[in-house]
Amino acid sequence: MTDSKKITSKSGCPIADIQNSLTAGERGPLLMQDFQLLEEMQSFNRERIPERVVHAKGSGAYGTFTLTRPIPEYTKAKFLIEEGKKTDVFARFSTVAGEKGAADAERDVRGFAVKFYTEEGNWDLVGNNTPVFFIRDPYKFANFIHTQKRHPQTNLRNNNSQWDFWSLNPESLHQVTIVFSDRGLPASYRHMNGYGSHTYSFINQDNQRVWCKFHFKTRQGNKSMTSEESANLIGVDRESHQRDLFYAIDRGEYPSWTVKIQIMIETQAQTFPHNPFDLTKVWPHQDYPLLEIGVLELNRNPENYFAEVEQSAFSPSVFVPGIGPSPDKVLQARLMSYPDAQRYRIGTNYHQLPVNKPQCPVMHYQRDGAMSNGHGGSSPNYYPNSDENAPKEAPEYAEPPLNLGNVAVDRYDSREGNDDYSQAGNLWRIFSDGEKERTAKAIASAMTGVTEEIKMRQLCHFFRADMEYGQKVATALGITIDATKFLSDK
């Protein structure tokens, strides 16, 4: 037998027997030294990770997105500006309200999430099979989901709770109408459309912004079930949609969707008859026609469900240059809540799992945490730093300010127009002569081992606060310096 076929412990130690425990005699008690048994039992106890609060029951597959119509006039995202370019993807479909044991064919909204592994990083489009949702303010989300889950006393689904919430929130009517129409019971994941639902932004090479909505139109044709057909199917197969997707791909019948977008320029958004970022409403197609840009095809099944589907993690906050958020309030909240849920469910380093890992280089200053693969080695784990080989900011990717009328959303330089020296200098000047000497010596002592480059840079700041301050620290450091040359450049 080759080594590659030997069963081992998690640390790689070959195991002779995994069917019989180590005991004191044939009928004797177990021994604590049977570390193989302990590892087996302890691993089993930890096999499950917390269930997703929503979208718990899901199916997934790999595939490609092929760009058929480049849109450089709208976005600088590289995977959207080169005709014919193929981008690897992973897609996950799901029910929304049901737990992991729920039936696939239940009446419900369906999740439609796609992870694009682009050359500039991952982009996650985390949507549904509906273009709208039940709420327009994120404050209502948790309360709405509570009505879709189980009653706190009976632990049963409760129609009264659902309709109580919907009747008190008329903005839900659009989505309620969709869910109780034929669209609420798609025949399979292959036979339904997908939508980004929210409004997103595109930014082009000229730093011009437009608003965008994403549509995935099934090329298999829309098919649905009646309530009676759904009930009958659930009675014989609770995994009907997962079974359909897996074996269709296994047979080579690769499902595909035509990817389309709607575009709204900023001036149109200002005169739109209602809030264009309202998640409960659509943009009329006659006013904002669909523009076909590509094809999404799923053509490879996962090798392991847990590793690749259950541990897959999506978040609307995962963007690439040229694609960004909008003022949609629900989207804004999801930008925080989704990655927060993934960190709770899988761990802070969930990005390093193969299904979530970008296919481009990853460089950042976030380190450590459970299950880290150790990005960065011995390089600095902070920024800014003086290491020429460390990752640097890329200001060329900055988005243009978002004009909100009397204020603009932007990243404002906190040092711009600020005086960082006067108050430090004033403090220095009230010190006694003895305290000045002690302060200078303490600073010099704390700079033991610091490079000359950093010492000189810091001396600039001391001199700008007070000439005497800088001179005393320089003297304590044993550095002879012409202080005047530091005063011109602040």
Side-chain angles (χ1 to χ4, degrees), residues 401-404 406-416 418:
L402 174 61
N403 190 352
L404 299 181
N406 61 343
V407 69
V409 176
D410 201 1
R411 298 185 186 274
Y412 294 94
D413 186 348
S414 62
R415 294 185 62 187
E416 183 75 25
N418 270 309

Side-chain angles (χ1 to χ4, degrees), residues 120-376:
E120 298 177 289
N122 289 352
W123 174 49
D124 288 356
L125 187 63
V126 192
N128 290 320
N129 71 326
T130 63
V132 296
F133 199 60
F134 298 94
I135 58 171
R136 64 171 64 101
D137 192 297
Y139 226 133
K140 296 183 178 182
F141 182 76
N143 289 291
F144 163 64
I145 294 300
H146 287 167
T147 72
Q148 305 299 297
K149 296 294 186 177
R150 298 178 179 272
H151 190 275
Q153 180 184 27
T154 65
N155 199 40
L156 300 172
R157 299 286 289 273
N158 189 276
N159 288 338
N160 191 71
S161 297
Q162 294 186 67
W163 288 103
D164 187 28
F165 182 91
W166 289 334
S167 67
L168 292 169
N169 293 277
E171 68 265 32
S172 65
L173 184 58
H174 194 171
Q175 178 76 313
V176 167
T177 304
I178 293 174
V179 171
F180 286 92
S181 73
D182 291 346
R183 302 184 194 185
L185 287 172
S188 78
Y189 291 135
R190 295 184 297 132
H191 295 93
M192 68 181 192
N193 293 338
Y195 302 88
S197 301
H198 297 288
T199 300
Y200 292 88
S201 63
F202 273 157
I203 297 169
N204 65 18
Q205 289 287 1
D206 296 324
N207 239 18
Q208 298 169 324
R209 178 187 285 109
V210 296
W211 305 115
C212 174
K213 283 185 178 289
F214 296 93
H215 302 251
F216 294 75
K217 300 294 188 178
T218 176
R219 302 175 79 180
Q220 290 69 241
N222 278 292
K223 294 182 182 179
S224 59
M225 296 178 285
T226 65
S227 296
E228 293 74 21
E229 289 171 332
S230 168
N232 291 335
L233 180 56
I234 291 171
V236 296
D237 188 356
R238 297 182 65 81
E239 275 66 57
S240 55
H241 289 25
Q242 177 159 318
R243 193 181 313 280
D244 174 86
L245 178 67
F246 185 93
Y247 285 107
I249 294 174
D250 196 52
R251 292 191 302 269
E253 299 173 11
Y254 303 142
S256 60
W257 289 260
T258 301
V259 183
K260 300 183 178 185
I261 59 173
Q262 286 178 288
I263 296 295
M264 179 186 292
I265 63 176
E266 291 188 286
T267 54
Q268 290 175 316
Q270 294 165 6
T271 59
F272 199 60
H274 58 259
N275 181 357
F277 312 113
D278 185 342
L279 184 55
T280 67
K281 293 181 172 65
V282 298
W283 296 352
H285 289 190
Q286 66 268 24
D287 299 324
Y288 302 93
L290 296 177
L291 171 65
E292 181 177 331
I293 64 168
V295 175
L296 172 74
E297 178 187 86
L298 300 181
N299 49 37
R300 179 165 65 91
N301 282 315
E303 291 294 320
N304 182 276
Y305 181 89
F306 179 83
E308 299 167 82
V309 182
E310 185 64 14
Q311 289 195 131
S312 64
F314 297 85
S315 169
S317 62
V318 178
F319 292 115
V320 294
I323 306 176
S326 78
D328 180 338
K329 295 177 183 178
V330 180
L331 173 59
Q332 292 280 322
R334 291 179 76 207
L335 299 180
M336 179 283 298
S337 66
Y338 271 61
D340 182 61
Q342 306 296 6
R343 291 183 180 98
Y344 162 74
R345 193 173 67 88
I346 311 173
T348 189
N349 289 303
Y350 69 89
H351 307 84
Q352 297 179 23
L353 294 170
V355 69
N356 302 319
K357 188 176 181 179
Q359 295 183 1
C360 65
V362 175
M363 295 171 285
H364 53 71
Y365 294 96
Q366 300 171 29
R367 302 286 176 82
D368 305 337
M371 308 301 291
S372 174
N373 283 329
H375 286 305

Side-chain angles (χ1 to χ4, degrees), residues 445-457:
S445 177
M447 282 192 166
T448 301
V450 174
T451 65
E452 289 302 307
E453 176 191 0
I454 296 174
K455 286 179 181 178
M456 296 301 288
R457 186 192 305 141

